[in-house]
Each structure stands twice: as structure tokens, then as C-alpha cells.
Amino acid sequence: MSFDVAAVRGQFPILSEIIDGLPVHYLDNGASAQTPLTVIDAVRRYETTGRANVLRGVHRLAERATEAYENARAQVASFLGVPTMEIVFTGGCTAAINLVAFSYGALLKPGDRILLSELEHHSNIVPWQLLRSRSGVELDMLPVTTDGRIDLSALPRLVTPKTKFVSLAHVSNVTGALLDVRTVVEAAKAVGAKVMLDGAQRAPHGPLDLPSLGIDFYAFSGHKAYGPNGIGVLWGRSELMDAMPPFMGGGSMIGRVTLAETTWAPSPRRFEAGTPPIGPAIGLGAACAWMQALDWAGAHEHEMDLVQRLMDGLQKIDGTQIFGPAGLQNRYPVVSFMLDGVHPHDVAQTLDSFGVAVRAGHHCAQPLMDRFDLDGTTRVSMAPYNDNSDIDALLAGVAHAAKTLR
Amino acid sequence: MSDQLYQERIVALAKAKTGAGKLENPTRTVRRDNPLCGDRVILDVRLDGEGRIAEIGHQVRGCLLCQASASALSAVAVGRDAAGVAELRRDAERALGREPGETHEPFDAFAPVAAHKARQDCVLLPLEALKDALS
Ligand SMILES: Cc1ncc(COP(=O)(O)O)c(C=O)c1O
């Protein structure tokens, strides 16, 4: 049976809104995805029937809240294919990466090397630069190919016995390119380096089986994966997590506190200081359940059909150029393009007047823009609920910008 | 479509590229970046003995609004000192609806940007750069 996009759309109330007389053609999913009713319902259920703090009270609302929070952890774990107690809830993907850079980083020594790439989001560069200035580790950068992929042919040169940690985007938020994880893991394991993937742009496209990837840490954000804001996930192997010092101190993360000394709770509590974002975690659990119930073989094929339609349409507009993989292999539905003679912000602004939401600019990847001497790109990022009408509205808008703004 | 922003006068200002390019012997060169959107303006100015602008040249790496603003600015900057440039800035602010009062050529062309808060810094960036150049 073919993928029923109308049925999926029906679960996202915002997609049938009319705003200022315009329909919602939402193609900025890479920044934040929309959220289905089932997620909104789960959050509402918590807020209206089980709202309390977690892990602290003995009353029944506290028990309900704790159970819903821990069920959400189990749901996220099942989405990633990992043990429940290896899931840490964070404020977002950025917070998860900072946690690892701080806490795993505390185990590193001056002169140890960390391998990143030139296409990383700032949130997978800056935390490591902060670590460098704290502790004297060195950073190496994998280059990027002209079709927007991390250039793994540089691995033999850049992975050395000094390399202790590798942190790369699973899917690029600019080009949509999927990382060849196996090759990275092989090279890293050969020197005993740990591997983290920034899964912000991969998690919204279906369940994962992290153990089969051979990696050590994984991070993603709830709001890009159809869940609420203010929640993110860090997965880490428990033997590594239990060896890491805390990132933040406070309630819930302790074993025992005396004024002289405090012992740490084991992971994940050790890394969840203070009252966590309970409602958002519950919403993210529901979002994972929603994703797990979707036909992803059908959804992926549908998303790739949209990518093809977009690429074909852009090709017919004079002066467009795609920055990223030209084909449909090993990519996800994030497509960046340039329109000759028109700045990406002006493209995006014009698209807004067609009811089309996209992102324009450097996409928090300035080193990548510098490397290719780009002012920025216009980025179309899709989700399973997008349809042909979204792509066609976008193409009409780009054609209009091409005609009027240059 | 509800295309109110890119009105003819703004597009025409951008296309006119008045003052685009470098100066041979600038008295000052300043660069201003907008870290949010990545727009960048480099301004060259040549000043006369009294601190007034004798010549101006701009290189804009940015959107149409930023280009149009640099072009508008170059068209009216010559002969002005810091106070005169501050007056242009106020005029732009009035066009953007940030200050009350009537606005004049050429910055009145930016009135459509009043409804687009997120884009107003694009218009103001060249003015910021020129202020730096004169301070
Ligand atoms: C690849 C990638 N990594 C990290 C992030 C940061 O996510 P957040 O801002 O939700 O923490 C993003 C989102 O912009 C992203 O696209």
C-alpha cells in the first residue's frame, strides 16, 4: 500500500490552518518540526491529570508523574534500541553535546585530540572549543566534499593514536548527507577513540538501532522530532556514563550530600540535576511512539519523491544550484540551494509571502559556509507530512523571486 | 501571494548599486557584521578636512534590503559629518516605524520594512557601519 500522506497530515492540526489568508506549507522541519495531536494530548494528560514533581513525593500525583516520566524514558530507549537506563533527558541536543564535551571532556588530557568536521552545526563545534580552552585538547576537522559530505578519505590522516573522541553529524543539517557511520567507527575503534553522533537531523526520520552502529554516544532534540521544546536526549553507554563526572550539580543527581563531600548517583540521574522538563519528556515519549507506529519504508520513499520533485523543479529555474548530494542515495530530505543573484534571505522572505516556510542563512554552520565561500543557502527540510503541494508552492515562490529580485 | 516587502523602489535602489565598490585612498575602512543573518558591510570613506564625507564606497555581502540601504546611503552621504549621518539614521528609523515623524528621500522607500521586524537590522547595518567610520 502506498504511503497515506493525507492521513498523516490529518494528525497535525497546524497544517490545516490558514494564516493571513495563506495555507501552511511548512518546509522548515530541520529547525523545528510540527507536533501531532497525540503528543499534545500526552502533555495535556500530564498537565491535567498527573502534574507533580518526579522522584520526590509519595503522594499519588507524584507517583503518576514519575511513572509517566519514566515511561517516556523507556519509550525513547525503545525508539533508539538501547537500555532504558542509558537514556538521559537534557534540555535539547545542544545541552546533550555540551554535557558530553564537559563530562567526558573532563577525562581527557592536554594534547588529546578530538575529531570533528567542517560541516558540523555550531553546537557540535563550540562546546569542543570551550573544552579546548579549559583543558588543552586539540581539535581536528574532517574536510567536506563539494557535494556536501564529510570527506572520509581524510580519516587515515586525521585519526591518530592521540585521537580520543570523534563527534560528527549523523545527517547534515545543511546538505542532508548521511554519514557513513561504519567507516568512521572502524577508524575510531582502531585507535580506541569514542564516537558520538549528533542525531538532531536523523532522529526525526524514524527509529534507530544504535547498538548496531557501534557508537558510544548519541544526541538529539525533541522539538525537531515532533515533540515539545525544551527536551533533548543523550544516550551513552552506561560504562562510559558511570565513569564521567556530573555536568551540573543539584537535586536528584546525588548519592549522599554532606557539607564536606557529595557522592553521585549513577547515570542517568547523575546527569539530570534539578527538576527535569517533565511535561516535555512525556511529550517526547509520545512523539517517539508516534514515529515508531509510522510506516517508515513508505515515509522515506515519499520523502525521497519530494526531494526528487524539488530537484527537478529547481533545475527548471534559471540560476539555481543545489549544495549537497545530487542523488537520493544516503541522504535525508534536507536540501540546500542557491539562486544566482538573489540572497537566500530574500528567497525565504519571498517564499513566506507564498505561505512557504523555509530557513535561509548559514544554518549555524558558518565554517561550512566559509569553506565554500557561500553567503548562505535556502534550506528546504521535509517531514513525512509534506506533500506535492508544498513543493509546488515553493517552486512557484522561487520562480517569482528569480523574476522580480534580480 | 502577499508580497508587500520587495516594492519597486527598494529593488531599484539595490539594483542601482550607488557607491558600490572600494575607494582608492580611503581615510577609514570599517566592517560591520550581523551575526544573526551573516550580512556583512565593508565601507570605505574619504573625509575632507572638516570631517565631512568626501567620497564613500561600499561592499555588501548581504540581502537585497542591506544592498538597497547601502545604495541609498551612498546617494546622500557626501558632504555630511557625523551629525548629518545621525540625521539619516533617524530618517531610516522613522521609515521603519521605530520613531515618530515624517521620513524623506531616499529612506522613505523602506517603509514596507516597518511590518517586518526581523529584517530591520538589514536596513540599519550600513548606517551602523557609517557611524563607526565617523566616530
Ligand atoms: C545537526 C544539528 N545539531 C544540533 C542542533 C541543535 O539543536 P538544538 O538547538 O535543538 O539544541 C541542530 C539544530 O539546529 C542541528 O541541526
Side-chain angles (χ1 to χ4, degrees):
Chain A
M1 212 188 80
S2 73
F3 184 70
D4 187 355
V5 62
V8 176
R9 291 178 71 80
Q11 300 173 51
F12 290 77
I14 205 167
L15 299 179
S16 48
E17 285 288 299
I18 298 291
I19 298 176
D20 300 333
L22 294 165
V24 174
H25 295 295
Y26 192 75
L27 294 166
D28 193 19
N29 297 283
S32 255
Q34 298 301 337
T35 198
L37 267 178
T38 165
V39 169
I40 299 163
D41 288 346
V43 175
R44 187 185 159 85
R45 204 174 310 121
Y46 161 72
E47 300 290 357
T48 55
T49 70
R51 181 179 163 99
N53 211 323
V54 290
L55 302 173
R56 294 170 194 190
V58 296
H59 56 78
R60 59 199 65 216
L61 281 183
E63 277 183 7
R64 272 196 181 182
T66 303
E67 189 184 336
Y69 181 67
E70 292 305 327
N71 284 346
R73 192 192 306 279
Q75 191 74 49
V76 172
S78 124
F79 175 76
L80 298 177
V82 299
T84 300
M85 294 314 274
E86 292 187 346
I87 296 296
V88 174
F89 283 123
T90 67
C93 187
T94 301
I97 297 171
N98 274 277
L99 192 167
V100 175
F102 185 91
S103 295
Y104 194 84
L107 308 175
L108 299 176
K109 298 180 188 58
D112 284 351
R113 304 190 81 89
I114 293 168
L115 182 60
L116 311 171
S117 87
E118 285 178 352
L119 64 60
E120 299 309 310
H121 190 279
H122 294 165
S123 64
N124 194 29
I125 297 177
V126 183
W128 303 108
Q129 291 175 333
L130 292 172
L131 174 66
R132 177 175 63 188
S133 43
R134 271 197 312 273
S135 74
V137 299
E138 306 282 345
L139 307 184
D140 294 305
M141 293 285 170
L142 283 162
V144 176
T145 62
T146 50
D147 66 343
R149 294 184 184 277
I150 298 176
D151 185 357
L152 298 185
S153 71
L155 280 173
R157 177 168 60 85
L158 291 175
V159 177
T160 73
K162 287 243 173 233
T163 307
K164 301 297 173 197
F165 204 92
V166 180
S167 187
L168 298 172
H170 195 182
V171 168
S172 161
N173 70 310
V174 178
T175 69
L178 171 68
L179 182 68
D180 174 0
V181 179
R182 181 196 298 258
T183 301
V184 171
V185 168
E186 252 175 43
K189 296 292 135 165
V191 297
K194 304 296 178 235
V195 177
M196 173 156 75
L197 296 184
D198 168 359
Q201 297 295 335
R202 169 59 188 81
H205 299 285
L208 286 144
D209 178 26
L210 295 185
S212 72
L213 296 180
I215 59 171
D216 303 288
F217 297 95
Y218 200 84
F220 74 96
S221 272
H223 67 99
K224 296 181 199 282
Y226 320 106
N229 286 304
I231 185 75
V233 170
L234 172 65
W235 167 74
R237 292 186 188 278
S238 53
E239 66 271 23
L240 297 175
M241 298 289 275
D242 283 338
M244 287 156 51
F247 178 36
M248 287 193 284
S252 296
M253 51 72 74
I254 43 95
R256 163 128 185 91
V257 178
T258 67
L259 292 182
E261 193 183 41
T262 294
T263 59
W264 317 131
S267 180
R269 300 269 177 272
R270 181 180 302 178
F271 301 105
E272 294 183 357
T275 300
I278 304 164
I282 291 166
L284 178 56
C288 286
W290 180 81
M291 285 192 280
Q292 286 173 282
L294 197 73
D295 160 24
W296 279 100
H300 188 71
E301 196 182 318
H302 168 66
E303 289 176 337
M304 288 304 117
D305 286 348
L306 295 178
V307 169
Q308 190 66 58
R309 188 180 186 90
L310 171 65
M311 288 177 162
D312 291 347
L314 284 176
Q315 215 163 40
K316 292 191 192 119
I317 300 169
D318 200 34
T320 58
Q321 194 191 337
I322 286 174
F323 175 52
L328 301 181
Q329 296 306 308
N330 297 321
R331 67 132 59 234
Y332 278 82
V334 176
V335 180
S336 268
F337 69 92
M338 287 79 75
L339 175 61
D340 233 13
V342 186
H343 192 276
H345 283 134
D346 299 317
V347 175
Q349 188 85 57
T350 303
L351 288 173
D352 176 64
S353 65
F354 283 71
V356 178
V358 296
R359 177 83 179 274
H362 55 59
H363 313 295
C364 299
Q366 281 179 340
L368 181 64
M369 299 295 124
D370 289 347
R371 159 69 183 79
F372 289 94
D373 196 28
L374 298 172
D375 288 340
T377 72
T378 304
R379 180 186 73 180
V380 186
S381 52
M382 292 161 249
Y385 45 67
N386 287 122
D387 64 10
N388 288 345
S389 81
D390 296 331
I391 301 302
D392 295 348
L394 175 127
L395 291 169
V398 176
H400 181 79
K403 201 171 76 197
T404 56
L405 298 186
R406 60 181 183 183
Chain B
M1 204 190 59
S2 64
D3 201 4
Q4 299 307 321
L5 180 57
Y6 298 109
Q7 292 185 1
E8 245 168 72
R9 281 186 63 204
I10 294 182
V11 177
L13 277 168
K15 285 185 182 168
K17 292 193 191 300
T18 309
K22 294 186 198 184
L23 295 189
E24 285 289 320
N25 297 304
T27 320
R28 299 248 174 85
T29 297
V30 295
R31 173 179 149 176
R32 266 276 188 161
D33 288 74
N34 179 341
L36 281 182
C37 67
D39 282 357
R40 169 180 304 170
V41 174
I42 298 173
L43 275 189
D44 290 341
V45 289
R46 197 162 55 74
L47 301 178
D48 68 13
E50 271 103 67
R52 283 186 305 248
I53 297 166
E55 206 181 349
I56 181 167
H58 64 80
Q59 297 152 265
V60 173
R61 244 191 121 152
C63 66
L64 186 126
L65 296 180
C66 192
Q67 292 176 25
S69 171
S71 183
L73 183 60
S74 300
V76 293
V78 172
R80 288 179 185 261
D81 58 10
V85 168
E87 184 45 47
L88 291 177
R89 159 96 191 202
R90 274 194 294 280
D91 213 31
E93 301 254 4
R94 285 193 285 265
L96 298 176
R98 294 177 169 207
E99 267 196 38
E102 209 179 312
T103 110
H104 311 86
E105 275 266 346
F107 284 100
D108 59 339
F110 293 95
V113 192
H116 296 267
K117 275 226 156 38
R119 303 297 301 280
Q120 294 181 358
D121 285 347
C122 308
V123 177
L124 296 176
L125 195 67
L127 287 147
E128 299 268 328
L130 188 54
K131 186 174 153 204
D132 284 358
L134 296 182
S135 63

